[in-house]
Amino acid sequence: MSLFGFSLKPRRPKSAQTAKDRLQILLAHERGAGTATPDYLPALQRDIIEAIRRHVKIEPDDIDIRMERGEEVSSLEINIEVPDASPRARA
Amino acid sequence: MTQTNDNAPMGRIIVITSGKGGVGKTTSAAAISAGLAKQGYKTVVIDFDVGLRNLDMIMGCERRVVFDFINVIQGDAKLKQALIKDKRLENLAVLPTSQTRDKDALTREGVEAVLNELKQDYDYIVCDSPAGIERGAHLAMYFADEAVVVTNPEVSSVRDSDRVLGLLSSKTKRAETEGAEPIKAQVLLTRHDQGRIDKGEMMTVEDVLEILAVPLLGIIPESQAVLRASNTGTPVTLDDPSAAGRAYEDAVARLTGEDVEMRVASDRRPGLLQRMFGRTA
């Protein structure tokens, strides 16, 4: 509650609200996509490796998948260490 | 920000266990692992509670879980991919468990392989055990070098701790290996309330230790800081200073071999006058 710019609330955001927000985001993901939320990731990873291997020689270790779940969108970050593809094609 | 510690052990495995649920295992696992990392030790904390993942929430990395312990055991992901690096401390990592599988997905061979791989890179491996004494709890303690038995000064908790101490000294690798040094087990007393002890409403530290007959690692006071830290996904040792945080830091120092005097910390609330005229230390 704010009266003439004088707030009666402490300045720090209440941690209980943070707790509720975190749970809502997490549970929306866990319930929404069914129980198997992240289970498609191993398969996705295999497919990605396979697709890339058709063009470049990479090891399963060269691929790094990170995820950040947000309220509105989640982002999937995939880093692939591609070996130095020197243009030997010309030879 | 953090420097590495010189007298670091090579992959020492510490299980945080209790038997009884709700006594503070995950809170303690988070606080202790963050405390070790803060001291400069490369530390990883593993959630063994398959199907009821919670360490990720207490560590505040629940939104970044991609692969988990079970994926690694079953060969669906590399260990490196499943480890979540803490955003606050660079030498701290979390290995989350699966929320969708059940405890049968844990195999002794799989757990051993993961622990052996972690030993190459980490000074301390903290295993957050599930409640109970079934598969998850058994495997969390099986390979341990050291055990922290989290206990509340309350009858059922002390009884369950006693049972767990029995298992530590009989159903673990160290117990089964002839000539091996037994697991070093210590009690961490949590939710300690000096006020209630003074009124004779709560067993004292001495009472609990007399019954369990193992050394004391630390006394964590009942503190509002614990709920606040869990609300925000911050280990107590990384949150604003609190009595509980200080008590965990003392316990961490003892784990690393420092000789720290046992003390009962408390959050003394400033009185009204003190709040009005500024806080004094």
Side-chain angles (χ1 to χ4, degrees):
Chain A
M1 184 178 137
S2 172
L3 208 61
F4 308 120
F6 177 72
S7 174
L8 294 176
K9 280 185 184 167
R11 258 167 292 157
R12 274 186 61 153
K14 286 267 205 282
S15 72
Q17 189 60 46
T18 313
K20 192 181 172 194
D21 295 343
R22 292 174 63 218
L23 278 170
Q24 279 175 332
I25 293 171
L26 186 70
L27 296 184
H29 283 281
E30 283 185 358
R31 292 176 186 151
T35 49
T37 320
D39 282 7
Y40 65 89
L41 286 167
L44 173 68
Q45 178 178 250
R46 266 194 303 275
D47 291 349
I48 292 172
I49 294 176
E50 225 173 86
I52 295 172
R53 269 198 179 153
R54 265 181 252 137
H55 307 277
V56 198
K57 196 168 173 286
I58 59 160
E59 296 297 319
D61 255 349
D62 297 333
I63 183 162
D64 186 37
I65 301 186
R66 303 273 141 199
M67 187 176 241
E68 183 83 50
R69 291 181 190 78
E71 212 162 343
E72 301 281 315
V73 285
S74 298
S75 69
L76 192 65
E77 183 189 321
I78 301 172
N79 281 312
I80 302 152
E81 262 181 58
V82 181
D84 196 14
S86 46
R88 225 174 289 146
R90 258 186 298 160
Chain B
M1 180 185 131
T2 41
Q3 68 277 60
T4 49
N5 206 305
D6 290 338
N7 54 0
M10 283 280 288
R12 193 163 174 79
I13 302 174
I14 303 176
V15 60
I16 315 292
T17 183
S18 71
K20 190 175 181 303
V23 296
K25 280 182 300 298
T26 302
T27 300
S28 299
I32 288 173
S33 51
L36 286 165
K38 233 167 106 176
Q39 296 281 315
Y41 296 100
K42 279 207 81 181
T43 306
V44 57
V45 56
I46 311 176
D47 192 347
F48 274 79
D49 202 348
V50 185
L52 288 172
R53 171 163 90 201
N54 271 321
L55 179 68
D56 57 333
M57 283 222 95
I58 301 303
M59 296 295 292
C61 63
E62 74 276 4
R63 292 201 216 176
R64 298 197 285 139
V65 176
V66 182
F67 298 115
D68 56 54
F69 194 17
I70 305 300
N71 291 141
V72 178
I73 287 178
Q74 298 188 337
D76 289 327
K78 296 277 178 195
L79 178 57
K80 192 185 80 177
Q81 299 172 324
L83 287 171
I84 303 176
K85 284 202 127 198
D86 189 89
K87 284 190 168 170
R88 298 153 295 212
L89 294 172
E90 58 176 334
N91 50 357
L92 177 60
V94 181
L95 183 56
T97 192
S98 168
Q99 177 72 341
T100 52
R101 314 294 179 84
D102 65 36
K103 55 188 184 308
D104 296 332
L106 284 177
T107 62
R108 182 181 289 184
E109 296 72 27
V111 171
E112 186 171 30
V114 171
L115 291 175
N116 283 339
E117 201 176 336
L118 289 170
K119 275 185 183 184
Q120 310 292 317
D121 284 331
Y122 290 90
D123 303 325
Y124 284 102
I125 300 162
V126 177
C127 301
D128 181 22
S129 171
I133 50 173
E134 287 177 68
R135 194 180 189 89
H138 173 64
L139 287 174
M141 71 169 67
Y142 189 77
F143 296 101
D145 300 307
E146 202 162 324
V148 174
V149 181
V150 182
T151 308
N152 292 167
E154 180 274 327
V155 289
S156 55
S157 174
V158 175
R159 180 198 200 178
D160 290 359
S161 291
D162 188 65
R163 177 97 166 87
V164 162
L165 285 165
L167 295 173
L168 283 166
S169 59
S170 63
K171 298 271 190 277
T172 53
K173 190 175 179 201
R174 279 182 178 273
E176 289 168 3
T177 310
E178 213 160 314
E181 208 176 298
I183 290 182
K184 183 180 178 193
Q186 287 173 285
V187 166
L188 182 68
L189 206 70
T190 55
R191 308 204 76 161
H192 177 270
D193 186 332
Q194 192 60 51
R196 302 199 74 173
I197 288 173
D198 292 344
K199 282 191 245 169
E201 295 173 358
M202 184 179 267
M203 281 185 283
T204 65
V205 178
E206 292 72 28
D207 292 338
V208 176
L209 292 180
E210 189 189 321
I211 295 164
L212 294 178
V214 285
L216 179 66
L217 178 67
I219 305 164
I220 313 297
E222 173 80 58
S223 167
Q224 304 193 345
V226 173
L227 178 59
R228 191 183 62 217
S230 110
N231 281 344
T232 58
T234 316
V236 189
T237 40
L238 297 184
D239 207 8
D240 296 345
S242 65
R246 282 192 297 279
Y248 274 116
E249 270 169 13
D250 283 358
V252 165
R254 288 182 202 112
L255 270 179
T256 65
E258 270 179 61
D259 192 16
V260 183
E261 202 194 331
M262 201 62 72
R263 55 179 174 178
V264 179
S266 78
D267 285 310
R268 234 181 297 137
R269 302 251 211 87
L272 182 63
L273 283 175
Q274 231 179 321
R275 267 185 291 180
M276 283 172 71
F277 297 111
R279 236 183 240 213
T280 49

